[in-house]
Amino acid sequence: MELQVDLERIKANILALAEIGRNSDDRGIYRMAFTDADMQGKRWLTEQIEAAGLESNRDGALNVSGILHGTTDLPRVLVGSHIDTVPCAGALDGTLGVVVALECLRCMKASGVQPLRTVELIAFSDEEGRFGGMFGSQSLCGQINPQMLATMSDLSGVTLHDELLRHGCEPMAALDAARDPDSIASYLELHIEQGPVLERTKKTVGIVDEITGLFTWAITLRGEANHAGTTPMDMRYDAFMGLADFAHELPRILEENGSDRSRATIGKAQITPGATNTVPGLVEFSLDVRDTSDTILDELGVAMRKALSAIARRRNLMFEFEQKSHLTPVACHQEIVDRLLRQAGRLGLDHLRMPSGAAHDAQIMGGMVPVGMIFVPSKNGQSHSPAEWTAWSDIGAGANLMLQTLIEMASE
Amino acid sequence: MELQVDLERIKANILALAEIGRNSDDRGIYRMAFTDADMQGKRWLTEQIEAAGLESNRDGALNVSGILHGTTDLPRVLVGSHIDTVPCAGALDGTLGVVVALECLRCMKASGVQPLRTVELIAFSDEEGRFGGMFGSQSLCGQINPQMLATMSDLSGVTLHDELLRHGCEPMAALDAARDPDSIASYLELHIEQGPVLERTKKTVGIVDEITGLFTWAITLRGEANHAGTTPMDMRYDAFMGLADFAHELPRILEENGSDRSRATIGKAQITPGATNTVPGLVEFSLDVRDTSDTILDELGVAMRKALSAIARRRNLMFEFEQKSHLTPVACHQEIVDRLLRQAGRLGLDHLRMPSGAAHDAQIMGGMVPVGMIFVPSKNGQSHSPAEWTAWSDIGAGANLMLQTLIEMASE
């Protein structure tokens, strides 16, 4: 019979890690990067790796590895995710990908068959962004420099530098975490979808073909605050109505310039002065635009600027915007996508080829080596909250898909 | 030669009152009702009244009066406004109406001609609403009751009751301020426009024919907060987009159901959770709708409810609203409007018949006696700020229009 993951071990690991950083009040998990809870999680993971008879390692960026040596020096296969969390997190998110990778290596080790290629479980540091995000995978890909290490700080002003020293680690050692791209054949990651698509379409797993790129803007529309009673409608410079006009244009802009993978979100808005009886003089709002094509992202950006500029002219508003972030889309490696699709079919799993709308370590890794991602369904599309959950049966299916794919990739 | 106001005396009075409650930092005036500064303003006004040889009075609601006795017991003509201010106020607002009324009585007194009807200057207490607004005019109209007197409090929790006691006044005496409607022939008020219309149309004075009514709603649209990247556009329940849809419908609703005197304003909105990368799950916003016709206000309310309800259904949102306030429109008395128009024409003033979009003591008084209002232009439409201003020449023109109208109305 074909090798299979032990779902009970996955369950036990998930539930064990869920107690590390658990808050007893809100039942949320607080295992933000480089906190004591996160360091405890890293120690727990190292113990599990060693208990499975695998070699453990911790690099200068505090990425934790578990290594199953192959019979050759061929570039290795990496598999993993992250165990740090947002504040008030659920039990899965990146943790599931790490636990599944651990289980895969445990199965392969226990089967006694030594693979051709070395397979390495990796749990990346600070994916969630206490200090900016994707710190571990960026370190591994050589995207970190001394200035970043010296200046990165969290929302309360604690620097990464001091936090690493506090744990007895040398901050500059993160620079040593950079790997030779030629040493890595590929990177695989299993993650919860964090969206509603698999659940709504009743699929067990998603095979990610592209990871979305995005830009976010901070936009300001400035008009004139006036009395809501004494200012006739045609004598107003109403900044909020400018925002409403723009929001109303979003569906058209997506239809004209986007794809079915395009997303545009206005997630926050601050109205000044913000009184019931005052025409808004100023509105500052965010715009988050995503697509899996860089060309489409550019075209969406142009169309959004045109719309904002036309609305500002029409309503006599001043318009400014600042790009706050930009992430280039990353395609998963076609060969890995095909392999995952084939394995999913062979295992009889209801699956869907789909984009990832969220960013993951695979997005950073994809800039250096071929990557592939497996999604499992998120109940009600929820994540980053204690309500985050996935059926154990879906987790088992995703884990077996990862195991079979890993075995195949490690033996070629 | 016809009697005329002394513009220099008006200037001197405005500038003197502007120093009472003046903040040296922001140059704003802080003469909120029943503060020490407001009480000092009332004393200053009483002194001016007495210095002019008029009889002064202060009723139980601390309304300050100056009385020029007529030769008969015919119902009297009231003229005035208020001298309390919002925080960080300008020098005019209600103060101008009180100072102009004072100047009118001074001129009439100095002319030596005793009018047929008694003419009474009145400066109403707390028009601006430290304790709810229109306290003085409501007291005079008998709209105050013991429960209100016992419970009204300001934003920092100070009760009107304690504040009156602090000044050595008996709170329940406000009930004695109520007048017999038959004792009053009419009420006249001069006020700054607080809007841009007179300035834009290059008019010297406005003759108010109607004072707008209004309703304000607090509206909640509840959807579902979701990840901005992983939630496809057609799987969202975006509360903010519901608000944007509604804002977009406002011009249509006004065109279909409103008049050229209709106003609709969304002045504040609170988006939850309010993160760049999260589809808004909840939006709470204000709606302020005004018109001078109660029927139109009702029709606008119905149309707004229909629009909100349709948008909520379309976007799968929950929709709730609460009426926060309602003010019935008040028409100025046709005979007084005609009289003001005739006098303005006779004086050669460029004038405009117009609605008042803001509420004034005249709105309360209009529920009991015939009222008339004169507007003078507001520079840049500004009010309730140290930038509030009106050209002295316009003030002089408005004051002479008030004087001539008062003389006429007091002699018939």
Side-chain angles (χ1 to χ4, degrees), chain B residues 1 38 141 157 179 183 185 196 283 300 329 359 376 397:
Chain B
M1 197 183 119
D38 186 39
C141 292
R179 304 257 186 120
S183 70
V283 61
L300 286 171
V376 290

Side-chain angles (χ1 to χ4, degrees), chain B residues 110-130:
Chain B
S111 75
V113 181
Q114 207 185 0
L116 195 69
R117 294 176 190 270
T118 294
V119 181
E120 178 178 345
L121 148 69
I122 187 154
F124 288 116
S125 293
D126 194 16
E127 192 268 355
E128 294 292 4
R130 179 179 171 203

Side-chain angles (χ1 to χ4, degrees), chain A residues 156-231:
Chain A
S156 55
V158 176
T159 63
L160 172 62
H161 182 271
D162 288 353
E163 200 66 344
L164 288 172
L165 284 181
R166 187 170 74 84
H167 295 301
C169 304
E170 167 50 48
M172 290 303 153
L175 299 169
D176 302 330
R179 304 260 185 118
D180 175 1
D182 292 340
S183 70
I184 302 171
S186 50
Y187 170 71
L188 297 179
E189 182 169 356
L190 178 143
H191 204 281
I192 57 167
E193 178 199 346
Q194 304 183 267
V197 177
L198 290 174
E199 186 179 67
R200 298 264 181 104
T201 57
K202 301 196 194 312
K203 304 291 182 187
T204 301
V205 293
I207 313 296
V208 176
D209 53 7
E210 294 174 307
I211 305 172
T212 194
L214 68 89
F215 62 80
T216 61
W217 291 352
I219 304 169
T220 301
L221 290 172
R222 195 180 303 273
E224 196 176 283
N226 279 307
H227 191 294
T230 62
T231 317

